[in-house]
Amino acid sequence: MSADIRFLVVDDFSTMRRIIKNFLNDLGYSNVQEADDGTTALPILKQGNIDFLVTDWNMPGMPGLELLKAVRADPALAKLPVLLVTAEAKREQIVEAAQAGVNGYVVKPFTAQTLKDKVDKILQSRAAAG
Amino acid sequence: MSETRTLAETYGPLLAQLDEAVAHNDEQAFRAAVESLQDQREGDVTRALRTLTGSLLDAMLTFRKEFRISDLAEREVPDARARLNHVMKLTDEAAHRTMDLIEQCGPLAERTSKAAKMLLSKGIDVPAGFRGFLEQTAEDCSTVRANLNEVIIAQTYQDLTGQIIRGVVTLVGEVEHVLAELMRLTGASLDEPMPGTRSEASVGNGYGPAVPGVSVGVVQGQDDIDALMAGLGI
């Protein structure tokens, strides 16, 4: 697993962006960019310099689910690993996210271990897929 | 129509005028009598409307007075919104302040832990008690470092409470709008408030954090989600 994986963390709350960035840094990933909703995240993703997207769901502007759909609809981004970290906890939403092609789903509040497990799992399956 | 006057009293003289005009084939007098009849009729309607308007106004004034619409619309509801926004600001500042301090403390604990481990690894001949102290120091500082990380993760509360408060702020904004409309209808002065921008809660936009006793159809924690995701092949 490479420590130079480039992350983009998307959340409208600066607290949450900082928490996730801090957490990723602690895992040894120092290349972490931030965006505050899907509208600002998409142009960053389209530049092609992001390897892993961590996004919230409920955001003004473009919500996370729409961002996920936009990512999957773009041939250049279709295979980008996407982890949803959200307070959204309805069964129908988790099913919807899975159908839209999410790679992992963590509900807030979470523990460091839960977040680590999901990030590791996604990176492992990505490495296995080559 | 006045109840104290009979039809004959109200319309008798006019009917007599009409009769006379017809008898004399006096068109001018006939038209004048018809117009008088119309005036009489419209007067009745106007009086009824005036009474009705008066009652409505009384009811509205009583309503405004008794339900403190003016206080609520002009001061208390906007105040509630400002207070909630302030709570969000305070929790945001507190969470960032906490993280500032943790980011300062974490490396200190790590440095101490590493230093203790380094001293132990040098194999210097030290008294048993001192070796035990170094081992304990290394272990304790690692625990402190790990716990500090959990404290950072725990700041998630600011996002969760913030999202719930933001939902209530939107709701309060809508109540304010409705109250302002009531004020306008009851004739009080109030600047037209900005219509609230509201993105409807839905699967796509999100519902926000689950609130116990309010939200339905929510999962019970991360294990539940993992099981659901596994069932969906992820």
Side-chain angles (χ1 to χ4, degrees):
Chain A
M1 233 169 294
S2 170
D4 55 13
I5 292 171
R6 297 161 297 182
F7 284 84
L8 177 64
V9 175
V10 189
D11 201 306
D12 52 328
F13 276 78
S14 67
T15 320
M16 188 51 66
R17 291 200 300 273
R18 188 171 172 186
I19 290 167
I20 295 174
K21 187 176 179 174
N22 196 296
F23 163 82
L24 289 170
N25 288 343
D26 217 62
L27 286 184
Y29 303 111
S30 53
N31 196 335
V32 183
Q33 286 189 64
E34 298 178 32
D36 60 5
D37 84 325
T39 317
T40 49
L42 208 50
I44 299 173
L45 292 167
K46 282 184 187 288
Q47 284 171 12
N49 300 319
I50 299 297
D51 306 309
F52 197 121
L53 172 63
V54 180
T55 182
D56 182 26
W57 184 316
N58 192 344
M59 295 178 287
M62 187 194 280
L65 184 69
E66 260 183 64
L67 177 62
L68 170 65
K69 287 177 178 171
V71 163
R72 291 290 175 254
D74 184 330
L77 299 172
K79 289 187 189 280
L80 181 75
V82 179
L83 175 63
L84 264 167
V85 179
T86 173
E88 300 299 327
K90 283 186 191 278
R91 289 176 177 280
E92 56 179 319
Q93 291 178 297
I94 294 155
V95 172
E96 178 102 10
Q99 285 166 353
V102 81
N103 300 92
Y105 199 111
V106 173
V107 72
K108 300 172 187 170
F110 50 83
T111 63
Q113 191 58 47
T114 301
L115 198 53
K116 183 180 185 309
D117 288 349
K118 303 302 167 210
V119 171
D120 285 350
K121 188 184 164 194
I122 293 171
L123 289 176
Q124 274 160 18
S125 58
R126 177 172 171 266
Chain B
M1 196 185 302
S2 170
E3 285 171 24
T4 54
R5 298 168 74 194
T6 64
L7 277 172
E9 279 170 343
T10 309
Y11 294 107
L14 283 169
L15 287 173
Q17 278 178 35
L18 275 173
D19 256 354
E20 206 176 316
V22 170
H24 291 92
N25 198 26
D26 184 341
E27 197 176 331
Q28 204 177 343
F30 180 79
R31 283 182 185 281
V34 168
E35 272 171 30
S36 295
L37 255 178
Q38 277 177 339
D39 286 350
Q40 179 93 36
R41 186 83 192 116
E42 280 167 11
D44 286 345
V45 173
T46 309
R47 267 193 300 280
L49 266 178
R50 196 171 291 137
T51 311
L52 207 64
T53 310
S55 311
L56 191 61
L57 207 60
D58 281 350
M60 282 175 161
L61 288 173
T62 309
F63 177 76
R64 273 182 55 195
K65 208 167 145 193
E66 290 189 357
F67 292 93
R68 303 190 306 118
I69 294 286
S70 154
D71 275 357
L72 285 170
E74 286 174 342
R75 209 182 56 244
E76 291 174 24
V77 174
D79 271 7
R81 206 151 46 99
R83 282 180 198 159
L84 290 172
N85 280 323
H86 188 59
V87 170
M88 279 182 71
K89 184 169 167 283
L90 287 180
T91 55
D92 178 75
E93 285 168 2
H96 280 291
R97 176 77 183 130
T98 305
M99 289 192 278
D100 285 343
L101 292 170
I102 290 171
E103 279 170 14
Q104 286 173 32
C105 291
L108 298 183
E110 198 170 316
R111 192 171 70 189
T112 309
S113 174
K114 275 185 181 162
K117 281 177 187 157
M118 197 194 69
L119 283 172
L120 285 166
S121 71
K122 286 195 170 171
I124 306 166
D125 193 18
V126 291
F130 190 61
R131 169 163 286 275
F133 169 73
L134 286 178
E135 284 168 355
Q136 196 61 55
T137 301
E139 195 186 319
D140 289 353
C141 285
S142 295
T143 306
V144 168
R145 183 83 179 91
N147 285 354
L148 287 175
N149 284 343
E150 289 293 345
V151 174
I152 286 193
I153 300 276
Q155 301 311 304
T156 310
Y157 85 88
Q158 198 276 325
D159 175 320
L160 296 178
T161 54
Q163 285 193 55
I164 292 167
I165 291 172
R166 203 161 57 185
V168 178
V169 166
T170 308
L171 178 70
V172 170
E174 282 172 19
V175 170
E176 194 179 332
H177 186 71
V178 169
L179 286 175
E181 191 62 19
L182 267 176
M183 290 274 290
R184 199 182 59 75
L185 287 172
T186 56
S189 68
L190 186 79
D191 293 336
E192 196 65 23
M194 294 281 290
T197 51
R198 177 179 168 85
S199 55
E200 209 64 37
S202 64
V203 167
N205 289 332
Y207 296 98
V211 180
V214 178
S215 310
V216 291
V218 298
V219 292
Q220 303 298 315
Q222 188 66 40
D223 288 346
D224 211 359
I225 289 177
D226 291 350
L228 193 53
M229 291 289 277
L232 293 161
I234 293 166

